[in-house]
Amino acid sequence: KILDNINYFSNDRVSNIKTKIMNDRQVFFKNKNILIYGFGKSGISCFNFLRKNNICKIFDDNKNNIPLKLRKELINVNKFALISFDYIVLSPGIDIKKCKISNYLKKNKSKIITELDIFEISYPKINKITITGTNGKSTTSKLLYEVLKNNRMDVRLTGNIGYPVLMEKRIKKNTIFVIEASSYQLDYSKYFRSKYSVILNLYPDHLERHRTFKNYAEAKFKIVKSQGKNDYAFLDKENKFLSHLIKKHRLKSKIIKINYLKYKKYLKQIDNAYFNNSSNKKNLSYVLAIAKTLNINIKKVINTANKFKGLNYRQQIIHKSKNLLIINDSKSTSFSSTVPLLEAYENIHWILGGQAKKGDKFKLKRKYFSNIKAYIYGKNRNFLINSLSNKIFYKSSLTLNEAIINLNNNIKNDKQKNVILFSPCAASFDQFKNFEERGKFFNKSIQYIFKQNKI
């Protein structure tokens, strides 16, 4: 258990010692008593990865998440005091302050590790590019993955997007992992380290879990604090709180501050409607900066960007004609993710609604207000209406389908060019299982209405 006594914020010498210790995962994770808490995708991948050489027990607040064939590994909550675990692998969705074994976890916090920690301990020499931030993580990760893949690199897209890191097979010395990491994944990690760390932006988010913006930002910033002198950190130059964190902590990595105006000459070469707004331009600027650090030809990055189709339900253009543009941005769960789209277009019919996030604020310059008509639906529609502060014309609806009908009534005889923007600025859980289900529902509903009206 030497690693238990090595501080997470170790110097380079200690890091070298740690790397030697961790070289053989069969030695480190062998004959240990391990609790896997949370049996979603992450928990399942950890269980399958560790079970061959260890005694792995499972716990989930909802035992129905555990397959019948594995119920024999399920530990009863009353038996926790009788078993001494070497490690507790915590799934990112677990909030130790709001779970069935909260007191047990607080007493054994030193034993908590994450899927990212297991990966780091198992593959310490593999190059990792870890991307986090409030908005744009998935898009940036996917774009960078395609750039590296088009340069014939053995690259894996993992984390919040793609497969969990521990599900990847046939890993070689030259394999590169692009990891999309959330604040939840990083918050409880102890050993995870990334040679290339990226923080795209920081806005108040997930405050129901982190309690304060400071806690949320510090969780993200762990990927920079853990780096050594041969590592690189790519950070938003314009973000004042990131600048504060850089000054606050004694960092060892090379800090590269991203100013997307610096990449203007390259952005002019992009002929892809997906990059019409400032948020996606900034995403591309990060990829250009990383490519430059990796000595990748910029022309290949531009070619990849021009062919980039984006991801489903993330600022996705689902219809484009002379008089109508429809964007499905169901992934949007905050005002900060939607504002760049509201700034990029005119004659916008904006559908928003759902389960609003604590502390979220609407910040849009007054000059854009007259371009927008809003259709607000769902559980927290009064919060969203109050957030607009009578700045924008709106109609209120109970359901998403009703909001779409109201929108259709407004534009069916309108001959000017319109933009329909489905960007909810709220979580989906009041009416849908997840943002994907919400995005699919929007596509089906909008297609049916347009078919009826022969649009």
Side-chain angles (χ1 to χ4, degrees):
K1 295 190 176 181
I2 296 173
L3 275 176
D4 290 340
N5 298 315
I6 294 178
N7 191 279
Y8 175 72
F9 306 110
S10 55
N11 60 34
D12 289 332
R13 184 177 178 186
V14 173
S15 294
N16 290 335
I17 295 170
K18 190 161 72 171
T19 298
K20 290 178 182 177
I21 294 170
M22 295 191 298
N23 267 339
D24 189 350
R25 71 174 184 270
Q26 300 300 330
V27 172
F28 191 82
F29 287 117
K30 191 172 184 179
N31 300 325
K32 299 290 193 300
N33 281 331
I34 299 174
L35 173 65
I36 310 290
Y37 184 18
F39 215 61
K41 286 195 300 184
S42 175
I44 292 169
S45 67
C46 292
F47 180 79
N48 291 334
F49 189 85
L50 296 171
R51 69 190 296 189
K52 292 180 182 178
N53 298 302
N54 304 281
I55 299 171
C56 291
K57 294 295 180 182
I58 303 167
F59 185 76
D60 194 287
D61 285 358
N62 182 1
K63 69 177 184 180
N64 292 327
N65 290 336
I66 300 170
L68 290 174
K69 64 180 180 180
L70 294 177
R71 293 281 173 91
K72 62 182 179 180
E73 309 298 346
L74 175 65
I75 181 171
N76 189 289
V77 70
N78 299 320
K79 293 186 177 180
F80 276 102
L82 305 176
I83 301 176
S84 177
F85 289 105
D86 296 295
Y87 299 104
I88 302 169
V89 182
L90 202 62
S91 291
I94 304 296
D95 183 350
I96 63 171
K97 296 182 181 69
K98 295 180 180 179
C99 60
K100 287 187 177 179
I101 56 170
S102 179
N103 290 333
Y104 179 81
L105 291 178
K106 290 173 183 177
K107 290 177 183 177
N108 293 275
K109 201 168 183 179
S110 64
K111 297 179 180 180
I112 292 175
I113 61 173
T114 67
E115 179 190 16
L116 293 178
D117 292 325
I118 297 169
F119 181 70
E120 175 67 28
I121 290 166
S122 303
Y123 304 102
K125 294 183 179 180
I126 290 295
N127 277 334
K128 298 175 283 292
I129 304 173
T130 305
I131 297 173
T132 193
T134 305
N135 302 316
K137 297 185 294 295
S138 297
T139 297
T140 309
S141 299
K142 176 66 172 175
L143 179 58
L144 179 61
Y145 166 78
E146 291 191 5
V147 167
L148 299 179
K149 188 177 179 181
N150 289 341
N151 277 270
R152 301 181 183 278
M153 295 182 179
D154 177 19
V155 59
R156 314 294 172 86
L157 184 61
T158 62
N160 267 5
I161 186 173
Y163 292 110
V165 290
L166 296 179
M167 287 183 67
E168 291 294 330
K169 308 294 183 185
R170 295 186 291 278
I171 299 170
K172 296 171 281 189
K173 289 182 179 180
N174 65 338
T175 301
I176 297 176
F177 275 73
V178 174
I179 304 171
E180 181 197 329
S182 70
S183 59
Y184 293 170
Q185 290 171 303
L186 296 169
D187 196 19
Y188 299 127
S189 65
K190 287 186 171 69
Y191 308 116
F192 182 68
R193 176 172 172 172
S194 184
K195 183 170 181 62
Y196 305 93
S197 293
V198 182
I199 302 180
L200 300 172
N201 44 63
L202 282 178
Y203 300 100
D205 201 7
H206 301 304
L207 299 188
E208 68 284 352
R209 167 87 165 256
H210 296 288
R211 306 302 189 265
T212 67
F213 177 54
K214 179 179 178 294
N215 292 342
Y216 168 71
E218 289 282 4
K220 298 275 191 184
F221 208 69
K222 286 176 76 172
I223 61 170
V224 179
K225 290 192 291 185
S226 63
Q227 290 185 301
K229 65 180 182 181
N230 295 319
D231 301 330
Y232 297 83
F234 301 84
L235 308 173
D236 182 5
K237 183 180 180 180
E238 297 175 357
N239 193 289
K240 293 180 180 179
F241 201 82
L242 275 175
S243 298
H244 166 72
L245 290 175
I246 292 170
K247 291 177 182 178
K248 177 182 175 181
H249 298 287
R250 297 178 64 183
L251 305 174
K252 298 170 187 173
S253 55
K254 298 177 180 67
I255 305 298
I256 299 174
K257 295 184 179 181
I258 305 298
N259 178 0
Y260 83 99
L261 295 177
K262 178 182 174 183
Y263 299 93
K264 208 169 183 179
K265 63 179 180 180
Y266 301 119
L267 297 175
K268 286 181 179 179
Q269 300 175 46
I270 303 300
D271 183 19
N272 184 339
Y274 191 76
F275 295 98
N276 279 350
N277 64 79
S278 61
S279 62
N280 284 344
K281 286 178 182 176
K282 286 184 177 180
N283 293 339
L284 179 53
S285 299
Y286 277 90
V287 174
L288 287 164
I290 296 166
K292 185 177 179 181
T293 303
L294 297 175
N295 295 316
I296 292 174
N297 190 307
I298 295 299
K299 287 184 179 180
K300 291 185 177 181
V301 180
I302 304 252
N303 288 339
T304 301
N306 280 327
K307 296 175 183 177
F308 188 64
K309 295 181 179 179
L311 294 162
N312 288 342
Y313 319 125
R314 295 166 173 89
Q315 301 183 13
Q316 181 187 15
I317 297 173
I318 61 169
H319 176 85
K320 186 178 181 182
S321 62
K322 183 180 178 181
N323 291 319
L324 186 62
L325 178 69
I326 306 174
I327 300 172
N328 187 336
D329 189 32
S330 178
K331 182 66 168 65
S332 165
T333 56
S334 67
F335 285 122
S336 63
S337 64
T338 298
V339 163
L341 292 169
L342 297 176
E343 295 173 342
Y345 299 99
E346 295 182 353
N347 299 325
I348 299 171
H349 294 265
W350 175 28
I351 303 174
L352 67 157
Q355 190 171 310
K357 287 189 173 180
K358 178 183 176 182
D360 200 12
K361 294 181 180 179
F362 181 58
K363 296 180 181 180
L364 181 70
K365 292 178 181 178
R366 184 172 294 276
K367 66 179 182 179
Y368 297 107
F369 295 166
S370 60
N371 287 333
I372 304 165
K373 290 183 176 66
Y375 305 83
I376 305 173
Y377 75 93
K379 179 181 179 181
N380 292 146
R381 58 190 181 280
N382 288 333
F383 169 82
L384 296 170
I385 289 168
N386 291 333
S387 297
L388 299 186
S389 302
N390 296 318
K391 298 172 182 176
I392 294 171
F393 167 86
Y394 72 88
K395 283 193 173 183
S396 177
S397 307
L398 184 62
T399 66
L400 173 56
N401 196 57
E402 186 183 340
I404 294 171
I405 292 170
N406 286 336
L407 181 155
N408 181 62
N409 290 335
N410 266 8
I411 70 166
K412 61 183 179 181
N413 296 317
D414 192 345
K415 295 183 179 180
Q416 68 177 337
K417 183 172 182 179
N418 289 293
V419 175
I420 295 175
L421 172 62
F422 177 47
S423 193
C425 302
S428 59
F429 307 126
D430 65 329
Q431 296 181 10
F432 301 95
K433 183 171 66 175
N434 50 46
F435 76 89
E436 290 97 342
E437 183 181 85
R438 178 169 67 180
K440 288 178 183 177
F441 181 88
F442 172 79
N443 284 352
K444 287 182 179 179
S445 295
I446 206 93
Q447 286 173 7
Y448 175 77
I449 288 172
F450 287 167
K451 186 177 180 180
Q452 294 295 308
N453 290 283
K454 299 181 179 179
I455 294 177

